[in-house]
């Protein structure tokens, strides 16, 4: 059995990023926090559908949302994306590692 | 609308990696090609269930499978994982970019 605690967290992140609308939301939030209304504007879907996508992203820890008065705004939690990136970065074949080493050697590092 | 051709390919990869059994298969294949039977051994599931997981990974371009006689073997297609890694690597906030620059400066690169 795989390590449930660590692996499920990464799995939730990959699941959250499998949807193009959710990736579009992440790409927008990379530029800074935004209100839900602003995030919804470029997406061709209802506000409840957008809220559902935001919930998937928030449950995975990719974003954090806060309510100020009547406005809910969202921001990225960059560390979560870095966790997924590290998993991918670790999946390098021996051939890839050798190419990386050759690349480092040619760069003189 | 997001760019369907490029974004859907990345979406299929993230979907494929959302499942812990499929990630366990990838982690095994990083060490080298393997027969389906060998991939199935550590997984607590039926062979048809394993085949279904392999199909999801193959449809996403994460793995390639070939049949030699009666044995089907699988290998990783590393470039597909690198595509997903690059998408994640590109999602860096301004704060993260500044920290990366400071890190490069302190390392003298």
């Amino acid at each position: 059995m795989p390590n449930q605690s660590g692996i499920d967290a990464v799995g939730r992140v990959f699941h959250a990023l499998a949807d193009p609308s959710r990736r579009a939301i992440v790409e927008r939030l990379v530029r800074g926090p935004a209100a839900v209304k602003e995030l919804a504007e470029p997406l061709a879907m209802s506000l409840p559908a957008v809220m559902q996508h935001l919930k998937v992203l928030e449950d995975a820890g990719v974003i954090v949302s806060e309510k100020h008065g009547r406005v809910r705004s969202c921001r990225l939690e960059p560390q979560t994306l870095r966790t997924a990136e590290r998993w991918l970065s670790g999946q390098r074949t021996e051939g890839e590692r050798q190419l990386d080493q050759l690349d480092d050697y040619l760069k003189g590092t």
Side-chain angles (χ1 to χ4, degrees), chain A residues 46-62:
Chain A
S46 68
L47 197 60
V50 173
M51 296 296 285
Q52 185 54 40
H53 280 313
L54 293 174
K55 185 179 173 354
V56 174
L57 286 166
E58 192 160 18
D59 287 349
V62 175

Side-chain angles (χ1 to χ4, degrees), chain A residues 58-103:
Chain A
E58 192 160 18
D59 287 349
V62 175
I63 68 166
V64 176
S65 80
E66 285 175 321
K67 203 163 184 180
H68 299 284
R70 291 171 62 186
V71 177
R72 178 170 291 278
S73 73
C74 302
R75 63 176 172 80
L76 209 61
E77 183 57 81
Q79 279 312 310
T80 304
L81 295 184
R82 296 297 78 83
T83 302
E85 191 182 342
R86 268 195 300 275
W87 185 86
L88 281 163
S89 167
Q91 309 309 315
R92 279 182 152 72
T93 61
E94 182 57 30
E96 285 186 287
R97 283 177 209 278
Q98 285 174 2
L99 278 177
D100 286 349
Q101 281 171 12
L102 179 65
D103 198 46

